[in-house]
Amino acid sequence: MTLSLETPQEVLTSPGPFEGPEKLLEVWFAPSVDQLPQSGPSSSSNRPYRTSSKSNEELKGLRKVPKEVWEEMLDIVKCKVLSVVEGDEIDAYLLSESSLFVSPHLIILKTCGTTLNLLGLYRIIEIAKEWCGFTNVWRCFYSRKSFFFPERQQGPHKDWGDEVRFLDTVFGTAGAAYTVGPMNRDHWLLYLTSPNTVPNLPSSSSSPSSSITLPAPTSTALQSRSDGPSFQPTKYQDTTLEILMTHLAPSARSQFFNDDSNGTLKSGLELGKDISAKLGIDQLFSKSETELDSFGFDPCGYSANAVIGSGMPDSSKNPGGYFTIHVTPEDGWSYASFECNVPLPIAGTSTDPSSQEEEAIKRPELKELIRKVVNIFQPSRLSITLFVSTPATTSTNDGEEGEEEQQTETEQRAWKSFGTDLLGKGFVRKDRIGYEFDGYDLVFACFEKRGWEEPKGGNMTIGDHNGDA
């Protein structure tokens, strides 16, 4: 793990009402590592590619891009790198406003506050082309929860319609936008593209700003390219769990304030480590396969990235993934998020470990993990989304029937996971919504603490003025 020593002190503080809900952008340039395009970078100049600090070997795909190049992209987004964890197959950047994950074939940018997440999309695509020779985007996903303070946002993030129009300028009719959940209460917003599209960028996008002039959307050039790279859908099941929690209990919020009354000044990394141990965040997964990087902010707030196993679900070495946590604990707009893509055992299918080593790396089941996270942050309201990839259909009748059975099983398992009893008698499920997309199933559920009433007046709450209509 490395710490950025040039991070300005002002980015480590929380001066007032802060937008906790993140903007989540995923850009995939191939469906898996073994399908990375073989073309080289567009420039013929000798580039100082990054090598692994563990093996000193040249890294693959996006991971060979130097940290300084990603930092330049993050300058556009308006956030800074605090520290970095290098896993076997993924790099986890802890940011002043949430997280950046870089794998050979995909990049995940999750930022909160008033960051300009979407303005980083241009530069991400340019970097992939300049450094790796990637010309197509396999898939792009953009999602977020409804904002507390939309009037504080800048550029395309002021309104969901503006964000969708922004993305349409890049992906045209290859993209589709969805609102999941009730508009006047907790809801979740999603934009995703069909597979293998050619992005369209402005002619001069090297240094975009919040006032950038965008080209008009096109409808033909952005469709899947028949002459582009030939990809096959993911052979492994790509699963992402996201838990978005608001109105945290006072006892939970208090854990994320920096109390230096004893006169001991701790660094953000030291404070993050203390919080992680005290709340059991460092025990959500076995310590033997977890590399945790956490940071406590001054005067309050918390972020953590964890690399589990190799860091990739389809790894041939040790299939794993990541989880990331971010907390804004202030009263009136308290918020915590948990995201994880680690392959989890299915209830009833686990076997008795044959050794102490297997016992040490036993992973929690999906319901168990959700309950542990909710117990840590004690929200009064939360939404849970589970994104699960589904097998591609085949052209033969027998194949279609088999794939349909697999898809039904996947969908049913995700649907049943969010039953009314998921969080026990202390919570009431308000919504459960399912979607079937091209290649993915989505289940969304919203829960509230039994008997809880949303505060009226004074502080703004989600749904009062969310700017997403």
Side-chain angles (χ1 to χ4, degrees):
M1 180 177 68
T2 59
L3 175 66
S4 176
L5 300 179
E6 299 180 356
T7 304
Q9 182 61 35
E10 57 266 23
V11 306
L12 306 183
T13 61
S14 180
F18 185 81
E19 191 64 72
E22 303 96 343
K23 315 164 184 87
L24 176 58
L25 177 67
E26 288 194 27
V27 188
W28 292 56
F29 294 93
S32 59
V33 176
D34 60 1
Q35 295 189 66
L36 282 173
Q38 297 301 312
S39 57
S42 59
S43 172
S44 60
S45 61
N46 292 324
R47 293 180 177 274
Y49 289 125
R50 178 170 161 262
T51 57
S52 171
S53 62
K54 297 180 177 181
S55 63
N56 202 32
E57 296 179 355
E58 185 175 306
L59 297 166
K60 296 180 180 179
L62 297 171
R63 292 191 70 202
K64 64 184 179 183
V65 177
K67 173 176 173 247
E68 294 75 19
V69 177
W70 295 126
E71 287 179 321
E72 175 260 334
M73 179 274 293
L74 293 170
D75 285 341
I76 298 170
V77 178
K78 306 299 183 185
C79 56
K80 300 291 183 181
V81 175
L82 301 179
S83 60
V84 185
V85 165
E86 182 184 303
D88 291 334
E89 300 184 18
I90 193 172
D91 297 317
Y93 293 77
L94 201 61
L95 308 180
S96 55
E97 281 86 2
S98 299
S99 302
L100 169 71
F101 294 93
V102 180
S103 293
H105 63 299
L106 70 92
I107 186 168
I108 301 171
L109 177 60
K110 187 171 190 175
T111 64
C112 55
T114 57
T115 49
L116 300 169
N117 183 299
L118 285 180
L119 293 190
L121 176 60
Y122 291 144
R123 188 63 189 130
I124 289 171
I125 296 174
E126 288 178 337
I127 290 170
K129 183 178 181 180
E130 293 170 3
W131 288 82
C132 307
F134 300 161
T135 56
N136 286 26
V137 171
W138 166 246
R139 300 201 76 147
C140 180
F141 303 85
Y142 175 72
S143 63
R144 67 168 175 84
K145 185 180 177 66
S146 43
F147 288 135
F148 282 111
F149 308 103
E151 71 281 358
R152 289 176 169 264
Q153 297 298 319
Q154 303 176 42
H157 297 293
K158 283 185 172 294
D159 182 270
W160 175 237
D162 291 342
E163 291 172 304
V164 171
R165 283 186 286 273
F166 186 102
L167 288 160
D168 279 346
T169 63
V170 181
F171 299 109
T173 56
Y178 301 85
T179 298
V180 184
M183 282 297 300
N184 62 338
R185 296 182 61 187
D186 250 1
H187 59 270
W188 189 69
L189 303 162
L190 170 68
Y191 182 100
L192 75 165
T193 67
S194 55
N196 206 18
T197 60
V198 182
N200 178 51
L201 300 182
S203 57
S204 57
S205 60
S206 58
S207 57
S209 66
S210 58
S211 60
I212 190 170
T213 301
L214 299 174
T218 60
S219 60
T220 56
L222 306 182
Q223 299 306 305
S224 298
R225 280 185 55 170
S226 59
D227 61 339
S230 177
F231 291 124
Q232 298 296 321
T234 54
K235 297 178 181 179
Y236 69 98
Q237 189 165 73
D238 174 40
T239 303
T240 301
L241 169 71
E242 192 173 28
I243 309 173
L244 308 179
M245 299 161 279
T246 62
H247 304 89
L248 312 185
S251 58
R253 294 192 296 104
S254 66
Q255 305 298 322
F256 301 99
F257 283 82
N258 185 6
D259 181 13
D260 59 354
S261 58
N262 58 7
T264 303
L265 183 63
K266 294 184 177 180
S267 70
L269 293 175
E270 291 173 325
L271 188 59
K273 186 176 182 179
D274 289 349
I275 294 173
S276 301
K278 184 177 182 180
L279 299 181
I281 292 172
D282 62 350
Q283 298 181 38
L284 290 175
F285 290 84
S286 170
K287 290 186 177 182
S288 65
E289 66 164 355
T290 302
E291 188 167 3
L292 180 66
D293 181 16
S294 54
F295 198 97
F297 292 85
D298 185 21
C300 63
Y302 171 88
S303 286
N305 288 340
V307 176
I308 312 299
S310 68
M312 284 301 300
D314 62 336
S315 172
S316 59
K317 303 176 182 177
N318 180 17
Y322 67 85
F323 76 72
T324 182
I325 294 175
H326 305 285
V327 184
T328 301
E330 294 96 326
D331 186 25
W333 54 89
S334 61
Y335 171 83
S337 70
F338 174 86
E339 180 184 339
C340 177
N341 76 335
V342 180
L344 302 175
I346 303 169
T349 62
S350 59
T351 57
D352 292 332
S354 58
S355 67
Q356 291 184 352
E357 182 180 358
E358 290 181 355
E359 176 68 30
I361 62 172
K362 183 178 180 182
R363 292 174 180 167
E365 295 178 352
L366 175 63
K367 290 184 179 180
E368 178 188 358
L369 180 60
I370 293 173
R371 290 167 181 164
K372 283 183 176 181
V373 171
V374 172
N375 286 339
I376 290 174
F377 299 104
Q378 303 173 41
S380 295
R381 174 184 286 170
L382 68 149
S383 63
I384 310 173
T385 60
L386 185 66
F387 230 138
V388 183
S389 65
T390 55
T393 58
T394 61
S395 58
T396 63
N397 291 334
D398 291 341
E400 288 176 357
E401 183 178 352
E403 298 295 1
E404 184 178 349
E405 290 178 357
Q406 284 183 283
Q407 187 169 3
T408 300
E409 181 184 352
T410 300
E411 182 182 1
Q412 289 178 349
R413 187 165 64 243
W415 185 259
K416 291 179 180 179
S417 296
F418 297 163
T420 55
D421 62 343
L422 173 62
L423 299 177
K425 296 181 179 180
F427 284 85
V428 178
R429 192 186 69 197
K430 308 298 288 187
D431 298 291
R432 182 174 63 173
I433 303 169
Y435 275 87
E436 290 184 9
F437 301 112
D438 180 11
Y440 279 88
D441 284 345
L442 166 69
V443 178
F444 168 92
C446 184
F447 291 81
E448 286 184 3
K449 209 161 191 178
R450 189 177 297 276
W452 176 77
E453 294 185 4
E454 186 171 338
K456 302 296 182 182
N459 295 317
M460 182 175 295
T461 58
I462 292 176
D464 290 335
H465 177 49
N466 55 49
D468 299 327

